[in-house]
Amino acid sequence: MFQKFYPNAYLNSTYEIDFEKLKKDGFAGVIFDIDNTLVMHGEPADARALALFQRLFFLGFDTCLLSNNKRPRVESFANQVSSKFIFKADKPSVKGYEKAMELMGTDRTNTIFVGDQLFTDVFGANRAGICTILVKPIHPKEEIQIVLKRYLEKIVLFFYKRSLKKSREAVK
């Protein structure tokens, strides 16, 4: 019932993703949400984000920021990390994800999406057929509409974790 919201992976942080392994596995492009995925909501790129993007470019990845936020926020961050970007993406609409792949010259088979929200980020990327990595939000302080969605996300994550446990038990 909730599978359309399930990520391919769920990690504590964007900064613990093994991008070297993903590159070896054939991935070429990474689409990122910004707020609470790369930095705290509304914050500029910090040293950790700058280092991540330098590492990604060194590995040969292309990147695109995909945000529902307005142009000034997204463009400013994109300029700091030297990434392509799409603002007012209307996630979970697939159009933004498809445009991001077009900008990077990638496709559904070699693109990863990284975000912190199930109902916009992961749901949209799943609908677009992209590999999804859900990360825990960097900071608990969020806008009220996001706080309300987090309660619903907890329910979906409960069933997601239960399905992972069942699949691991089936393999034993």
Side-chain angles (χ1 to χ4, degrees), residues 138-151:
I138 289 175
H139 195 272
K141 184 180 180 239
E142 298 179 295
E143 297 171 353
I144 188 66
Q145 70 272 17
I146 296 172
V147 171
L148 296 174
K149 284 193 277 185
R150 295 289 185 202
Y151 289 109

Side-chain angles (χ1 to χ4, degrees), residues 84-153:
K84 296 169 176 71
F85 69 94
I86 297 168
F87 63 97
K88 288 190 177 180
D90 198 28
K91 294 181 286 185
S93 170
V94 297
K95 290 178 185 174
Y97 299 89
E98 290 170 344
K99 178 70 174 168
M101 288 185 282
E102 182 182 317
L103 289 173
M104 294 187 299
T106 60
D107 60 40
R108 289 167 170 76
T109 66
N110 63 1
T111 303
I112 306 158
F113 180 85
V114 180
D116 69 299
Q117 293 188 51
L118 283 177
F119 300 127
T120 51
D121 296 335
V122 172
F123 180 50
N126 283 345
R127 290 176 61 218
I130 301 170
C131 180
T132 55
I133 300 175
L134 176 68
V135 294
K136 291 181 181 173
I138 289 175
H139 195 272
K141 184 180 180 239
E142 298 179 295
E143 297 171 353
I144 188 66
Q145 70 272 17
I146 296 172
V147 171
L148 296 174
K149 284 193 277 185
R150 295 289 185 202
Y151 289 109
L152 296 172
E153 284 185 355

